[in-house]
Amino acid sequence: MRTLVDATLAGHPHVWAGAGAAHAVFRTTFAELVRLTGGQAAVVAADGPGDR
């Protein structure tokens, strides 16, 4: 399965990843999230309403 990780997360020192439940989350870094998921960094969000 192809996994995309929003590249804008790289601008944060830590990110929180979850597994479908409020108590199943963990703190990680962008680089670690990409590594753990085998994902690919990609721009997946628009900058504003005019970009959609």
Side-chain angles (χ1 to χ4, degrees):
M1 175 187 317
R2 183 176 181 202
T3 303
L4 299 177
V5 181
D6 193 334
T8 60
L9 295 174
H12 299 278
H14 298 104
V15 296
W16 289 89
H23 66 278
V25 296
F26 63 98
R27 189 176 87 166
T28 188
T29 64
F30 172 76
E32 184 71 0
L33 183 61
V34 171
R35 187 188 73 75
L36 288 171
T37 62
Q40 176 183 356
V43 177
V44 297
D47 286 335
D51 295 335
R52 297 184 183 160

